């Protein structure tokens, strides 16, 4: 199966990776859903945009605890670096990620469409000025804009918000251009991102899925299912590609 997948990747004219929480689990980030998911410990309502507006300080306290105290210490893993290698060798055109952890960019991927935004940036809700997280002190909550004094929010989508542009348009454009999609660590349950692989399949793309568990895609759009953790599967794929 790995040899067949490697041949598809190497012979494709435009290959795209589509990643979900599963690729970051090996870096130490717990998934949102499932047995040890963050939603078992924290109320998802904390990440609803209306709750953020009405309970800004409480929402920010949870955001800081999860995303900046925990996520701030994590690093990319072998799967992230394998995608960087594919891109460097002109075998991967872009990465579409549902993750907000910035690990693809930290690893060195050049073209990354962050479908749900990135925690590395904050945005002022009043004047829309953007800041790098390192520019802002999170000891005092909620953080405020240095220009207008407005409330700052992580530049990621909360429940109730629209998918950011140009990430949305760029991602769906890839479903029309790519002839190969590598799905890595995504369950296929989060809309509207979960429609991207189906759109690519309907436009003729071959779908290679890497996942330790059967997903919503496995029996519907997947052509080759590599039932393995992201880092192990990607390392095997790189080895097979190098043999060709």
């Amino acid at each position: 199966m790995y040899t067949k997948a490697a041949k598809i990747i190497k012979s494709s004219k435009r290959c795209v990776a589509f990643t979900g929480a599963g690729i970051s689990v090996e870096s130490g980030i717990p998934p949102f859903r499932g047995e040890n998911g963050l939603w078992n410990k924290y109320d998802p309502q904390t990440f609803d945009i209306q709750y953020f507006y009405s309970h800004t300080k409480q929402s920010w306290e949870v955001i800081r605890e999860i995303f900046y105290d925990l996520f701030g210490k994590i690093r990319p893993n072998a799967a992230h670096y394998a995608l960087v290698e594919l891109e460097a060798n002109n075998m991967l055109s872009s990465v579409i990620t549902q993750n907000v952890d910035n690990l693809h960019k930290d690893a060195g991927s050049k073209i990354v469409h962050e479908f749900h935004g990135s925690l590395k940036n904050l945005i002022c809700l009043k004047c829309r000025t953007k800041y790098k997280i390192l520019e802002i002190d999170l000891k005092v909550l909620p953080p405020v804009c240095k220009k207008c004094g407005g409330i700052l929010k992580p530049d990621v989508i909360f429940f109730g918000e629209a998918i950011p542009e140009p990430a949305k348009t760029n991602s769906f454009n890839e479903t029309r251009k790519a002839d190969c999609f590598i799905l890595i660590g995504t369950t296929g349950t989060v809309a509207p991102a979960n429609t991207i692989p189906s759109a690519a399949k309907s436009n003729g793309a071959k779908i290679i899925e890497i996942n330790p568990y059967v997903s919503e895609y496995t029996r519907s759009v997947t052509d080759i299912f590599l039932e393995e953790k992201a880092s192990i599967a990607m390392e095997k794929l790189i080895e097979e590609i190098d043999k060709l």
Side-chain angles (χ1 to χ4, degrees), residues 1 13 16 55 85 88 105 116 163:
M1 294 295 275
K13 292 183 174 65
V16 172
H55 300 81
E85 185 176 337
K105 288 184 177 178
H116 294 147
I163 303 300

Side-chain angles (χ1 to χ4, degrees), residues 103-124:
L103 290 180
H104 287 295
K105 288 184 177 178
D106 287 346
S109 286
K110 299 286 193 295
I111 302 176
V112 183
H113 306 307
E114 294 171 318
F115 202 76
H116 294 147
S118 171
L119 287 166
K120 288 294 176 80
N121 300 315
L122 302 179
I123 187 166
C124 175

Side-chain angles (χ1 to χ4, degrees), residues 49-183:
I49 192 60
Q50 296 305 323
Y51 182 88
F52 182 85
Y53 286 140
S54 58
H55 300 81
T56 307
K57 188 171 189 295
Q58 295 96 313
S59 185
W60 252 112
E61 284 170 351
V62 176
I63 290 167
R64 180 176 65 185
E65 182 180 339
I66 299 177
F67 296 125
Y68 296 107
D69 293 348
L70 170 64
F71 282 26
K73 300 168 187 157
I74 53 98
R75 297 290 178 268
N77 62 59
H80 295 101
Y81 289 115
L83 292 176
V84 174
E85 185 176 337
L86 285 179
E87 184 183 45
N89 290 322
N90 298 313
M91 282 183 273
L92 190 73
S93 296
S94 69
V95 175
I96 301 169
T97 187
Q98 299 165 79
N99 301 334
V100 294
D101 52 38
N102 210 72
L103 290 180
H104 287 295
K105 288 184 177 178
D106 287 346
S109 286
K110 299 286 193 295
I111 302 176
V112 183
H113 306 307
E114 294 171 318
F115 202 76
H116 294 147
S118 171
L119 287 166
K120 288 294 176 80
N121 300 315
L122 302 179
I123 187 166
C124 175
L125 294 174
K126 191 174 178 182
C127 72
R128 310 308 288 178
T129 297
K130 289 191 179 186
Y131 296 90
K132 297 291 184 186
I133 186 62
L134 296 176
E135 299 175 64
I136 303 298
D137 183 2
L138 295 183
K139 291 189 179 72
V140 179
L141 297 177
V144 296
C145 178
K146 297 174 183 177
K147 291 184 179 178
C148 75
I151 299 294
L152 297 182
K153 168 189 166 290
D155 197 18
V156 300
I157 64 159
F158 281 42
F159 297 120
E161 289 191 294
I163 303 300
E165 291 291 2
K168 180 182 178 182
T169 296
N170 289 339
S171 297
F172 279 101
N173 281 345
E174 290 289 20
T175 69
R176 291 186 286 274
K177 294 188 285 186
D179 57 356
C180 171
F181 254 66
I182 309 170
L183 316 185

